[in-house]
Amino acid sequence: MTNVEAVRTTLHDALARDERVLIMGEDVGARGNVFLITKGFLEEFGAERVVDTPLAEASIVGVAIGMAMEGLRPIAEIQFADFIYPAFNQIVGEAAKTRYRSNGDYTCPLVIRTPYGGGVRGALSHSVSIEALFYHVPGLTILAPSTPADIKGLLNAAIECPDPVLFLEHKKTYRSVKGEVPSGYYTIPIGKADVKKAGTQLTVVSYGYNLHQALEAANRLEGEGVSVEVIDLRSIRPMDKGAILASVRKTRKLLIIHEDNKFGGIGAEISAMVAEEALFELDAPIRRLAGPDVPAMGYAQPLEEEFMTSTDEMVEAMRELAKF
């Protein structure tokens, strides 16, 4: 099963399992989503549970918040993460604060799904990574699974979560990543990272499309006798600090790889956390590979490739850090 098939199957099963679940967003009904994820859902579940909305992201999330507070389980889709900015106040100012501001009288069981990231020649308005814009916000869970099995388990967990979840799907992995998916209903606990590859000389923490590149780079280096441990973060907030610290204390070296801009990115938080809690257990400076500090990813292939970290660059960074 591919990543996009895992999203589609999990959404379909959620609609079939629980009448409180509904999907709303631009083109999710008659069009079946821009990636055809919800194709056929309108005919099967009806217009009250598969809701085509106007091009108005603030109202999509705002209406979904009201539905969630009144007992439904809305799954709001932002067609591309680049379009989420109009809904920023609804997500940060309303959804994330619902439980706190109502002293626990109301919760907001809302899932906001959106494809993010580059690598598909999406250019200026279809390539952004948004995780760093939201992970500063208490009350908001952010998930970014990388494999079909993790997508199913974490999307089910997100739908069950009583508080708002921002569910990020890297569009480059939609059809390029395949994997086995357990049958039947299951969830994966939110906030748990996964060691995708065990190693002893160096820890790499990543997620999304970069995770797959990091695994390829680590496998290449095995031929050189370099043992790299690769951790898939999966949950950006809450973050599995325990898994990161345990790995770093074993390997004593840390490389963080993400596609979002380097300045103020997830890597900065991980780096600060490890520096605070395990600095004197390190044998080398912490290193980050991330997107450059430019406003957007270009359309031209050389510009896109310049923005995105290549697998060869990861191999070289891992090799250098292992030798340090």
Side-chain angles (χ1 to χ4, degrees):
M1 185 181 293
T2 64
N3 274 6
V4 75
E5 288 169 342
V7 175
R8 172 180 167 78
T9 300
T10 307
L11 291 176
H12 178 275
D13 291 350
L15 285 166
R17 186 174 53 249
D18 188 343
E19 291 187 351
R20 297 173 302 168
V21 174
L22 62 98
I23 295 173
M24 56 190 302
E26 298 155 7
D27 294 326
V28 299
R31 174 77 167 84
N33 165 281
V34 70
F35 297 100
L36 305 183
I37 289 173
T38 56
K39 187 174 178 59
F41 285 15
L42 176 62
E43 293 77 7
E44 184 172 355
F45 297 104
E48 291 189 351
R49 300 186 64 203
V50 184
V51 183
D52 268 329
T53 68
L55 298 174
E57 287 76 13
S59 71
I60 293 171
V61 177
V63 170
I65 290 171
M67 290 177 170
M69 292 176 66
E70 292 302 321
L72 297 177
R73 295 278 176 168
I75 302 172
E77 178 181 298
I78 302 298
Q79 198 168 66
F80 290 93
D82 312 58
F83 307 152
I84 205 168
Y85 308 127
F88 190 83
N89 183 57
Q90 279 67 33
I91 297 170
V92 175
E94 304 295 338
K97 293 180 171 63
T98 297
R99 181 187 288 274
Y100 190 84
R101 77 193 306 176
S102 68
N103 197 28
D105 289 342
Y106 283 93
T107 60
C108 186
L110 163 66
V111 178
I112 304 167
R113 291 182 42 251
T114 189
Y116 77 107
V120 296
R121 307 290 303 282
L124 189 67
S125 298
H126 298 82
S127 302
V128 74
S129 295
I130 58 168
E131 53 269 35
L133 288 176
F134 291 97
Y135 88 119
H136 177 71
V137 181
L140 184 63
T141 290
I142 304 175
L143 304 178
S146 307
T147 67
D150 287 349
I151 284 172
K152 179 178 178 180
L154 285 169
L155 186 51
N156 280 332
I159 295 169
E160 280 193 0
C161 183
D163 295 304
V165 177
L166 183 57
F167 196 86
L168 304 180
E169 302 161 8
H170 199 293
K171 66 177 80 70
K172 174 73 172 177
T173 71
Y174 266 163
R175 292 182 171 82
S176 65
V177 173
K178 297 180 180 179
E180 296 292 325
V181 178
S183 60
Y185 177 80
Y186 67 92
T187 62
I188 292 174
I190 290 172
K192 295 293 184 184
D194 187 37
V195 178
K196 288 288 196 279
K197 180 183 180 303
T200 59
Q201 293 176 261
L202 166 70
T203 296
V204 172
V205 177
S206 191
Y207 55 93
Y209 176 59
N210 282 164
L211 180 278
H212 298 283
Q213 294 174 283
L215 284 170
E216 181 184 342
N219 287 330
R220 282 194 212 171
L221 286 171
E222 276 195 337
E224 301 178 18
V226 178
S227 176
V228 181
E229 182 149 297
V230 181
I231 294 178
D232 183 0
L233 203 56
R234 301 197 298 193
S235 177
I236 290 173
R237 185 162 186 162
M239 186 179 290
D240 193 347
K241 294 181 179 180
I244 297 170
L245 289 170
S247 180
V248 168
R249 285 174 172 139
K250 179 176 70 172
T251 67
R252 307 180 76 86
K253 295 177 181 177
L254 174 61
L255 171 65
I256 307 154
I257 305 173
H258 60 70
E259 187 176 314
D260 203 353
N261 300 115
K262 183 176 182 178
F263 186 89
I266 307 302
E269 179 60 31
I270 297 172
S271 179
M273 183 270 292
V274 172
E276 280 186 333
E277 302 193 32
L279 179 64
F280 297 109
E281 298 176 68
L282 297 176
D283 287 338
I286 298 168
R287 183 164 180 184
R288 289 178 286 161
L289 286 179
D293 289 321
V294 297
M297 193 177 299
Y299 172 76
Q301 188 168 350
L303 293 176
E304 185 180 66
E305 291 175 351
E306 181 66 23
F307 188 101
M308 299 185 72
T309 304
S310 70
T311 304
D312 287 343
E313 290 173 312
M314 294 182 190
V315 168
E316 188 57 29
M318 292 179 197
R319 185 185 289 127
E320 290 177 358
L321 197 51
K323 289 178 180 177
F324 188 92

Coordinates of all heavy atoms in Angstrom, one line a residue, residues 200-277:
T200 N 25.0 2.4 16.1 CA 25.8 2.6 17.3 C 26.8 3.9 17.2 O 27.2 4.3 18.2 CB 26.7 1.4 17.5 OG1 27.6 1.2 16.4 CG2 25.9 0.2 17.8
Q201 N 27.0 4.4 16.0 CA 28.0 5.5 15.9 C 27.5 6.9 15.8 O 28.2 7.9 15.9 CB 28.9 5.2 14.7 CG 29.8 3.9 14.9 CD 30.6 3.7 13.6 OE1 30.2 2.8 12.8 NE2 31.7 4.4 13.4
L202 N 26.2 7.0 15.4 CA 25.6 8.3 15.1 C 24.1 8.2 15.1 O 23.5 7.2 14.6 CB 26.1 8.7 13.7 CG 25.4 9.8 13.0 CD1 25.7 11.2 13.7 CD2 25.8 9.9 11.5
T203 N 23.5 9.2 15.7 CA 22.0 9.3 15.7 C 21.5 10.3 14.6 O 22.0 11.4 14.6 CB 21.4 9.6 17.0 OG1 21.8 8.6 18.0 CG2 19.9 9.8 17.0
V204 N 20.6 9.9 13.8 CA 19.9 10.8 12.9 C 18.4 10.9 13.3 O 17.8 9.9 13.4 CB 20.1 10.4 11.4 CG1 19.2 11.2 10.5 CG2 21.5 10.4 11.0
V205 N 17.9 12.1 13.5 CA 16.5 12.3 13.8 C 15.9 13.1 12.6 O 16.4 14.1 12.1 CB 16.3 13.2 15.0 CG1 14.8 13.5 15.3 CG2 16.9 12.5 16.2
S206 N 14.8 12.5 12.0 CA 14.2 13.1 10.9 C 12.7 12.7 10.8 O 12.2 12.0 11.7 CB 14.9 12.7 9.6 OG 14.5 13.4 8.5
Y207 N 12.0 13.1 9.8 CA 10.6 12.8 9.6 C 10.2 13.1 8.2 O 11.0 13.8 7.5 CB 9.7 13.5 10.6 CG 9.9 15.0 10.6 CD1 9.1 15.8 9.8 CD2 10.9 15.6 11.4 CE1 9.2 17.2 9.8 CE2 11.0 17.0 11.3 CZ 10.2 17.8 10.6 OH 10.4 19.2 10.5
G208 N 9.1 12.7 7.7 CA 8.6 13.0 6.4 C 9.4 12.4 5.3 O 10.0 11.3 5.4
Y209 N 9.5 13.1 4.2 CA 10.3 12.6 3.0 C 11.8 12.4 3.4 O 12.4 11.5 3.0 CB 10.1 13.5 1.9 CG 10.9 13.2 0.6 CD1 10.8 11.9 0.0 CD2 11.9 14.1 0.1 CE1 11.5 11.6 -1.1 CE2 12.6 13.7 -1.0 CZ 12.5 12.5 -1.6 OH 13.2 12.1 -2.7
N210 N 12.3 13.4 4.1 CA 13.7 13.3 4.5 C 14.0 12.0 5.3 O 15.2 11.5 5.2 CB 14.1 14.5 5.4 CG 14.3 15.8 4.6 OD1 14.3 16.8 5.2 ND2 14.5 15.7 3.3
L211 N 13.1 11.5 6.0 CA 13.3 10.2 6.7 C 13.7 9.1 5.8 O 14.7 8.3 6.1 CB 12.1 9.9 7.5 CG 12.0 8.6 8.4 CD1 11.7 7.4 7.7 CD2 13.2 8.5 9.2
H212 N 13.1 9.0 4.6 CA 13.4 7.9 3.7 C 14.7 8.2 3.0 O 15.5 7.2 2.8 CB 12.3 7.9 2.6 CG 10.9 7.5 3.2 ND1 10.6 6.3 3.6 CD2 9.9 8.3 3.5 CE1 9.4 6.3 4.1 NE2 8.9 7.5 4.1
Q213 N 15.1 9.4 2.8 CA 16.4 9.7 2.3 C 17.5 9.3 3.3 O 18.6 8.8 3.0 CB 16.6 11.2 1.9 CG 15.7 11.6 0.8 CD 15.8 13.1 0.6 OE1 15.2 13.9 1.3 NE2 16.6 13.5 -0.4
A214 N 17.2 9.7 4.6 CA 18.2 9.4 5.6 C 18.4 7.9 5.8 O 19.5 7.4 6.0 CB 17.7 10.0 7.0
L215 N 17.3 7.1 5.7 CA 17.5 5.6 5.7 C 18.3 5.1 4.6 O 19.2 4.3 4.8 CB 16.1 5.0 5.7 CG 15.3 5.0 7.0 CD1 13.9 4.6 6.8 CD2 15.9 4.2 8.1
E216 N 18.1 5.7 3.4 CA 18.9 5.3 2.2 C 20.4 5.6 2.5 O 21.3 4.8 2.2 CB 18.4 5.9 0.9 CG 19.2 5.5 -0.3 CD 18.8 6.3 -1.6 OE1 17.6 6.8 -1.5 OE2 19.5 6.3 -2.5
A217 N 20.6 6.8 3.0 CA 22.0 7.2 3.2 C 22.7 6.4 4.3 O 23.8 6.0 4.1 CB 22.0 8.7 3.7
A218 N 21.9 6.0 5.3 CA 22.5 5.2 6.4 C 22.8 3.8 5.9 O 23.8 3.2 6.2 CB 21.5 5.1 7.6
N219 N 21.9 3.3 5.0 CA 22.2 1.9 4.4 C 23.4 1.9 3.5 O 24.2 1.0 3.5 CB 20.9 1.5 3.7 CG 19.8 1.1 4.6 OD1 20.0 0.6 5.7 ND2 18.6 1.3 4.2
R220 N 23.6 3.1 2.8 CA 24.8 3.1 2.0 C 26.1 3.1 2.8 O 27.1 2.4 2.4 CB 24.8 4.5 1.2 CG 23.9 4.5 0.0 CD 24.3 5.7 -0.9 NE 23.2 6.3 -1.6 CZ 23.2 7.5 -2.2 NH1 24.3 8.2 -2.2 NH2 22.2 7.9 -2.8
L221 N 26.0 3.8 3.9 CA 27.2 3.9 4.8 C 27.6 2.6 5.5 O 28.7 2.4 6.0 CB 27.1 5.0 5.8 CG 27.2 6.4 5.2 CD1 26.8 7.5 6.2 CD2 28.6 6.7 4.7
E222 N 26.6 1.7 5.6 CA 26.9 0.4 6.2 C 28.0 -0.3 5.5 O 28.9 -1.0 6.1 CB 25.6 -0.5 6.2 CG 24.7 -0.2 7.4 CD 23.7 -1.3 7.5 OE1 23.4 -2.1 6.6 OE2 23.1 -1.4 8.6
G223 N 28.1 -0.1 4.2 CA 29.2 -0.7 3.4 C 30.6 -0.2 3.7 O 31.6 -0.8 3.5
E224 N 30.6 1.0 4.3 CA 31.8 1.6 4.8 C 32.1 1.3 6.3 O 33.1 1.8 6.8 CB 31.8 3.1 4.6 CG 31.6 3.5 3.1 CD 31.5 5.1 3.0 OE1 31.9 5.8 3.9 OE2 31.0 5.5 1.9
G225 N 31.3 0.5 6.9 CA 31.4 0.2 8.3 C 30.9 1.3 9.2 O 31.3 1.3 10.4
V226 N 30.1 2.2 8.7 CA 29.5 3.3 9.6 C 28.1 2.8 10.0 O 27.3 2.6 9.2 CB 29.5 4.6 8.8 CG1 28.8 5.7 9.7 CG2 30.9 5.0 8.4
S227 N 27.9 2.8 11.3 CA 26.6 2.3 11.9 C 25.8 3.5 12.3 O 26.1 4.2 13.3 CB 26.9 1.4 13.1 OG 25.7 1.0 13.6
V228 N 24.7 3.8 11.6 CA 23.9 5.0 11.9 C 22.5 4.5 12.4 O 21.9 3.7 11.8 CB 23.7 5.8 10.6 CG1 22.8 7.0 10.9 CG2 25.0 6.2 10.0
E229 N 22.1 5.1 13.5 CA 20.7 4.9 14.0 C 19.8 6.0 13.5 O 20.1 7.2 13.7 CB 20.8 4.9 15.6 CG 19.4 4.6 16.2 CD 19.5 3.9 17.5 OE1 20.0 2.8 17.5 OE2 19.1 4.5 18.5
V230 N 18.7 5.6 12.9 CA 17.8 6.6 12.3 C 16.5 6.5 13.1 O 15.8 5.5 13.1 CB 17.5 6.3 10.8 CG1 16.6 7.3 10.2 CG2 18.8 6.3 10.0
I231 N 16.1 7.7 13.6 CA 14.8 7.8 14.4 C 13.8 8.6 13.6 O 14.1 9.7 13.1 CB 15.1 8.6 15.7 CG1 16.0 7.7 16.6 CG2 13.8 8.9 16.4 CD1 16.3 8.3 17.9
D232 N 12.7 8.0 13.4 CA 11.5 8.7 12.7 C 10.7 9.4 13.8 O 10.1 8.8 14.7 CB 10.7 7.7 12.0 CG 9.5 8.4 11.2 OD1 9.4 9.6 11.3 OD2 8.8 7.7 10.6
L233 N 10.7 10.8 13.8 CA 10.1 11.5 14.9 C 8.6 11.2 15.0 O 8.0 11.1 16.0 CB 10.3 13.0 14.7 CG 10.2 13.9 15.9 CD1 11.1 13.5 17.0 CD2 10.6 15.4 15.5
R234 N 7.9 11.1 13.8 CA 6.5 10.9 13.7 C 5.6 11.9 14.3 O 4.7 12.5 13.7 CB 6.1 9.5 14.2 CG 6.8 8.3 13.5 CD 6.2 7.0 13.8 NE 6.1 6.6 15.2 CZ 5.8 5.4 15.6 NH1 5.5 4.5 14.7 NH2 5.8 5.1 16.9
S235 N 5.8 12.2 15.6 CA 5.0 13.2 16.3 C 6.0 14.3 16.7 O 6.9 14.2 17.4 CB 4.5 12.5 17.6 OG 3.8 13.5 18.4
I236 N 5.6 15.5 16.1 CA 6.5 16.7 16.3 C 6.1 17.3 17.6 O 7.0 17.8 18.3 CB 6.3 17.6 15.1 CG1 6.9 17.0 13.9 CG2 6.9 19.0 15.4 CD1 6.7 17.8 12.6
R237 N 4.9 17.4 18.0 CA 4.4 17.8 19.3 C 3.2 17.0 19.7 O 2.2 17.1 19.0 CB 4.1 19.3 19.3 CG 3.8 19.8 20.7 CD 4.0 21.3 20.8 NE 3.8 21.6 22.3 CZ 4.2 22.8 22.8 NH1 4.8 23.7 22.1 NH2 4.0 23.0 24.1
P238 N 3.3 16.3 20.8 CA 4.4 16.2 21.7 C 5.6 15.4 21.1 O 5.4 14.6 20.2 CB 3.8 15.3 22.9 CG 2.7 14.6 22.3 CD 2.1 15.5 21.2
M239 N 6.8 15.7 21.5 CA 8.0 15.2 21.0 C 8.5 14.1 21.9 O 8.5 14.3 23.1 CB 9.0 16.3 20.8 CG 10.3 15.8 20.1 SD 11.5 17.2 19.9 CE 10.6 18.2 18.6
D240 N 9.0 13.0 21.4 CA 9.5 11.9 22.2 C 11.0 12.2 22.6 O 11.9 11.7 22.0 CB 9.4 10.6 21.4 CG 9.6 9.4 22.2 OD1 10.1 9.5 23.4 OD2 9.4 8.3 21.8
K241 N 11.1 13.0 23.6 CA 12.5 13.4 24.1 C 13.2 12.2 24.6 O 14.4 12.1 24.4 CB 12.4 14.4 25.2 CG 11.8 15.8 24.7 CD 11.8 16.8 25.9 CE 11.3 18.1 25.5 NZ 11.3 19.1 26.6
G242 N 12.5 11.3 25.2 CA 13.1 10.1 25.8 C 13.8 9.2 24.7 O 15.0 8.8 24.9
A243 N 13.2 9.0 23.6 CA 13.8 8.2 22.5 C 15.0 8.9 21.9 O 16.0 8.3 21.6 CB 12.8 8.0 21.4
I244 N 14.9 10.3 21.8 CA 16.1 11.0 21.2 C 17.3 10.9 22.2 O 18.4 10.6 21.8 CB 15.7 12.5 20.9 CG1 14.6 12.5 19.9 CG2 16.9 13.3 20.5 CD1 14.0 13.9 19.7
L245 N 17.0 11.2 23.5 CA 18.1 11.2 24.5 C 18.7 9.8 24.6 O 19.9 9.7 24.8 CB 17.6 11.8 25.8 CG 17.2 13.3 25.8 CD1 16.5 13.6 27.1 CD2 18.5 14.1 25.7
A246 N 17.9 8.8 24.6 CA 18.4 7.4 24.8 C 19.3 7.1 23.7 O 20.4 6.5 23.9 CB 17.2 6.5 24.9
S247 N 18.9 7.5 22.4 CA 19.8 7.2 21.3 C 21.1 8.0 21.3 O 22.2 7.4 21.0 CB 19.0 7.5 20.0 OG 19.8 7.2 18.9
V248 N 21.0 9.3 21.6 CA 22.2 10.1 21.7 C 23.2 9.7 22.7 O 24.4 9.7 22.5 CB 21.8 11.6 21.9 CG1 23.0 12.5 22.2 CG2 21.0 12.1 20.6
R249 N 22.6 9.2 23.9 CA 23.5 8.7 24.9 C 24.2 7.4 24.5 O 25.3 7.1 25.1 CB 22.7 8.5 26.2 CG 22.3 9.9 26.9 CD 21.4 9.7 28.1 NE 21.3 11.0 28.7 CZ 20.2 11.5 29.2 NH1 19.1 10.9 29.1 NH2 20.2 12.7 29.8
K250 N 23.6 6.7 23.6 CA 24.3 5.5 23.1 C 25.3 5.8 22.0 O 26.4 5.3 22.0 CB 23.2 4.5 22.5 CG 23.8 3.3 21.9 CD 22.7 2.3 21.4 CE 22.0 2.8 20.2 NZ 21.0 1.8 19.6
T251 N 25.0 6.7 21.0 CA 25.9 6.9 19.9 C 26.8 8.1 20.1 O 27.8 8.2 19.5 CB 25.0 7.2 18.6 OG1 24.3 8.4 18.8 CG2 24.1 6.1 18.4
R252 N 26.4 9.1 21.0 CA 27.1 10.3 21.4 C 27.3 11.3 20.3 O 28.1 12.2 20.4 CB 28.5 9.8 22.0 CG 28.4 8.8 23.1 CD 29.7 8.4 23.6 NE 30.2 9.4 24.5 CZ 29.9 9.6 25.8 NH1 29.1 8.7 26.4 NH2 30.5 10.5 26.5
K253 N 26.5 11.1 19.2 CA 26.6 12.1 18.1 C 25.2 12.3 17.5 O 24.4 11.3 17.4 CB 27.6 11.7 17.0 CG 29.0 11.6 17.5 CD 30.0 11.1 16.4 CE 31.4 11.0 16.9 NZ 32.3 10.5 15.9
L254 N 24.9 13.5 17.0 CA 23.5 13.8 16.6 C 23.5 14.6 15.3 O 24.1 15.7 15.3 CB 22.7 14.5 17.7 CG 21.3 15.0 17.3 CD1 20.4 13.8 17.0 CD2 20.7 15.8 18.5
L255 N 22.7 14.1 14.3 CA 22.4 14.9 13.1 C 20.9 15.0 13.0 O 20.2 14.0 13.1 CB 23.0 14.1 11.9 CG 22.6 14.7 10.5 CD1 23.1 16.1 10.3 CD2 23.1 13.7 9.4
I256 N 20.4 16.2 12.8 CA 19.0 16.4 12.6 C 18.7 16.8 11.2 O 19.4 17.8 10.7 CB 18.5 17.5 13.6 CG1 18.9 17.2 15.1 CG2 17.0 17.6 13.5 CD1 19.0 18.4 15.9
I257 N 17.8 16.2 10.6 CA 17.5 16.5 9.2 C 16.0 16.8 9.0 O 15.1 16.0 9.4 CB 17.8 15.3 8.2 CG1 19.3 14.9 8.4 CG2 17.6 15.7 6.8 CD1 19.7 13.6 7.7
H258 N 15.7 18.0 8.5 CA 14.3 18.3 8.1 C 14.3 19.3 7.0 O 15.2 20.0 6.7 CB 13.5 18.9 9.3 CG 14.0 20.2 9.9 ND1 14.0 21.4 9.3 CD2 14.6 20.4 11.1 CE1 14.5 22.3 10.0 NE2 14.9 21.7 11.2
E259 N 13.1 19.3 6.3 CA 13.0 20.1 5.0 C 12.6 21.6 5.3 O 12.9 22.5 4.5 CB 11.9 19.5 4.2 CG 11.8 20.1 2.8 CD 10.7 19.3 2.0 OE1 10.8 18.0 2.0 OE2 9.9 19.9 1.3
D260 N 12.0 21.8 6.4 CA 11.6 23.2 6.8 C 12.8 24.0 7.0 O 13.9 23.5 7.2 CB 10.8 23.2 8.1 CG 9.9 24.4 8.3 OD1 10.0 25.3 7.5 OD2 9.1 24.4 9.2
N261 N 12.7 25.4 6.9 CA 13.8 26.3 7.1 C 14.6 26.0 8.3 O 14.0 25.6 9.4 CB 13.3 27.7 7.1 CG 12.6 28.1 5.9 OD1 11.4 28.4 5.9 ND2 13.3 28.1 4.7
K262 N 15.9 26.1 8.3 CA 16.8 25.8 9.4 C 16.6 26.7 10.6 O 16.5 26.3 11.7 CB 18.2 25.9 8.9 CG 19.2 25.5 10.0 CD 20.7 25.5 9.4 CE 21.7 25.0 10.4 NZ 23.1 25.0 9.9
F263 N 16.5 28.1 10.3 CA 16.4 29.0 11.4 C 15.0 28.9 12.1 O 14.0 29.0 11.5 CB 16.5 30.5 10.8 CG 16.5 31.5 11.9 CD1 17.7 31.9 12.4 CD2 15.4 32.1 12.3 CE1 17.8 32.9 13.4 CE2 15.4 33.1 13.3 CZ 16.6 33.5 13.9
G264 N 15.1 28.6 13.4 CA 13.8 28.5 14.1 C 13.1 27.2 13.9 O 11.9 27.1 14.2
G265 N 13.7 26.2 13.2 CA 13.0 25.0 12.8 C 12.9 24.0 13.9 O 13.4 24.2 15.1
I266 N 12.4 22.8 13.6 CA 12.3 21.7 14.6 C 13.7 21.3 15.1 O 13.9 21.0 16.3 CB 11.6 20.5 14.0 CG1 10.2 20.9 13.4 CG2 11.4 19.4 15.0 CD1 9.3 21.5 14.3
G267 N 14.6 21.4 14.2 CA 16.0 21.0 14.6 C 16.6 21.9 15.6 O 17.4 21.4 16.5
A268 N 16.2 23.2 15.7 CA 16.7 24.1 16.7 C 16.1 23.6 18.1 O 16.9 23.7 19.1 CB 16.2 25.5 16.4
E269 N 14.9 23.2 18.2 CA 14.3 22.8 19.4 C 15.0 21.5 19.9 O 15.3 21.3 21.1 CB 12.8 22.6 19.3 CG 12.1 22.1 20.6 CD 12.3 23.0 21.7 OE1 12.4 24.2 21.5 OE2 12.4 22.5 22.9
I270 N 15.2 20.5 19.0 CA 15.8 19.3 19.3 C 17.3 19.5 19.8 O 17.7 19.0 20.8 CB 15.8 18.3 18.1 CG1 14.3 17.9 17.8 CG2 16.6 17.0 18.5 CD1 14.2 17.1 16.5
S271 N 17.9 20.4 19.1 CA 19.3 20.7 19.4 C 19.4 21.3 20.8 O 20.3 21.0 21.6 CB 19.9 21.7 18.4 OG 21.2 22.0 18.7
A272 N 18.5 22.3 21.1 CA 18.5 22.9 22.4 C 18.2 21.9 23.5 O 18.9 21.9 24.6 CB 17.5 24.1 22.4
M273 N 17.3 21.0 23.3 CA 16.9 20.1 24.3 C 18.1 19.1 24.6 O 18.4 18.8 25.8 CB 15.7 19.3 23.8 CG 15.1 18.2 24.7 SD 15.9 16.6 24.5 CE 15.2 16.1 22.9
V274 N 18.7 18.6 23.5 CA 19.9 17.7 23.8 C 21.0 18.5 24.4 O 21.7 17.9 25.3 CB 20.3 17.1 22.4 CG1 21.6 16.3 22.6 CG2 19.2 16.2 21.9
A275 N 21.2 19.7 24.0 CA 22.3 20.5 24.7 C 22.0 20.7 26.2 O 22.9 20.7 27.0 CB 22.4 21.9 24.0
E276 N 20.8 21.0 26.5 CA 20.4 21.2 27.9 C 20.6 19.9 28.7 O 21.0 19.9 29.9 CB 18.9 21.6 28.0 CG 18.7 23.1 27.7 CD 17.3 23.5 28.0 OE1 16.4 22.7 27.9 OE2 17.1 24.7 28.3
E277 N 20.2 18.8 28.2 CA 20.1 17.5 29.0 C 21.2 16.5 28.7 O 21.3 15.6 29.5 CB 18.7 16.9 28.7 CG 17.6 17.9 29.0 CD 16.2 17.2 29.1 OE1 16.2 16.0 29.5 OE2 15.2 17.8 28.8

